[in-house]
Amino acid sequence: MNQPSALGFNDSRPKTNVRLTISANNLMDLDVFSKSDPICIIYEKTSGRKSTTMDPIVVETWRDRQWTERGRTEIIWNDLNPQFKITLLLPYFFEETQLLRFELYDVDSPKVGSDMSSHDFLGRFECVLAQIVSYSTFRGHLGGKSDIGSQIKQKDKISKNGSITIRAEEDEKNEKVQFDVCGEGLDRKDFFGKSDPYLNFKRRFDDGTSHMIHQTEVKPKTLNPRWATVQINTQALCGKSVDRPIIIECFDHEKFKKQDDIIGTAQTTLGELLTANSGEIIQIPLINERKKAKKSKYKNSGILKFWNAKIVIEPTFLDFISGGTQLDFAVAVDFTSSNGHPSSSNSLHYLGFGVPNQYEIALRAVLSICQHYNSSKTFEAYGFGAKLPGHHSVSALFPLDLNTNNASVVGINGVMQAYRNALQNVTLYGPTNFSPIIEQVAKKAHKMINSTARYQILLIITDGIISDMYATINTVISASGLPLSIIIIGVGNEDFERMHELDSDDSLLQQDSRIAQRDIVQFVTMRNFMNRNAVESGYLDTDSVMESLAREVLYEVPAQLTGYMKQRGFTPRTSDNPWQRDSPPDEYDPMMDIIQNSRATAPPLYPVYR
């Protein structure tokens, strides 16, 4: 898979377009002789901290340069329960925090500019795009002038400002045309044998040029080939137009010549191909223009036959998420002695006031994205490579929450508290073994293999080279057929060259005679992001580092999830009948995560310290 650069992204990176439909209920009536005339304006936070905070809003959004308007609805006259017809199309990136603000105003005139000072404020709702796509239909209480609103929960009473409902749909599906094709009576091109035919499918553009979109396999030594079932993206093939010409070329593959011999060319359209269904077969002759010009009785150079044609839509990541698929998340923190003693300012585990260390930056960067895809708000947190209080031997794996001896913790704040508590109580030791944690999480993932309800992600943060590389590779290969993705972040200045062996982007991971079923590992080094940020400003902006880090390490997760589901033949549930989503524990308080986040990144800028 092509990856984004560790040092930044460009606009060409893969994305999904999401269309938002907006409605509101029980809005305030601010007009004297009629009802309010609402309009909804949608803004996105494009600079500064991208996470929601508890700070009161003191600058109107339309004045705040950190927010960019992404679109607005039409005005609905005299209506406190508007259903807006104008929808909003936004690019969606799984690996990003995309913070949105929906603001409703009672307008005083048909012309509404960017200055909203003359229009009455009705309410505001703020959330990240991930929350909307996770629920497909997302409802929120509208907040007042200084408030951001909140998600509506069961049995909630409607706030005085009313409520907003936002529905998300993928704008374009991955649509493909699928059909079976064979050839009959092809021309013989080899002097001592039959032809070795294959097909090229080309898109014809308006200027007369063409571009190859798909090539079949070669069928050796036959004049009556039957190729494997063909699947081609309809957007790439013909722009989804049923009438645009599609060029089909049939070639004879030549092993010992520089150029393959053309057998013949045919032309069709998507519309014609789709008639080859329900037992119908369409036949298209292959024409060799040079041969036709030489022979007066020339008919064709063979026939292509098509049948079983249909449009298929491959499920996307958002299809599974809106169908209730939850991302379970586990973290594992390296407590080996090579990190340095936590009391030393040179330690990678050093806990300075207002200055998060690299482990905390990595944990929060990934957790802040993944939390929106698991409604339970519960994570599994482990440590490895340390001696626990009262123990003389090293624990290869232990729950990060030493107080309860339970790997499950609640919320981002729960993970961060467990990490800091463990640091103050364990003795850093060694070695750096990955296989125990991968085996532990793989056992959980194995229980998920019979449905699309859950998918497991494991984050490992380490400062050193793996001590059990052979065992780790074997464990990863064994886990490659499970609903599991593994993210490894290397912190500090160690040479992590061997770690890239696990991240098999170019070829599947293999060892001895065993080969992984798919690529499930993503490895990055933290210093790439910290060094770049420091070079640009001389200071370390932890918000920017977390944003860039999350983009890189989570980039492959959607494709890994859909790849696994396709391999298993699974299809998602519909958004109308999703898997039942878990509720957070009673002790979960989302405000605590917000408070903790504000403290962890304040001040956001400080001199580079390692």
Side-chain angles (χ1 to χ4, degrees), residues 285-304:
L286 285 166
I287 304 299
N288 187 311
E289 294 296 339
R290 292 183 63 182
K291 192 172 180 180
K292 180 180 178 181
K294 293 179 180 179
K295 294 186 176 182
S296 59
K297 295 184 179 181
Y298 175 82
K299 290 185 178 180
N300 57 63
S301 293
I303 299 291
L304 293 181

Side-chain angles (χ1 to χ4, degrees), residues 28 51 57 87 90 105 124 151 175 205 221 272 296 300 328 411 419 428 437 440 470 524 549 563:
M28 292 187 296
S51 58
I57 297 172
T87 58
L90 284 176
Y105 288 85
R124 174 188 296 110
Q151 182 180 356
E175 179 183 285
F205 293 98
K221 300 179 180 178
E272 184 179 19
S296 59
N300 57 63
D328 282 17
Y419 164 68
L428 274 60
I437 177 62
Q440 175 71 19
Y470 187 89
V524 299
L549 180 64

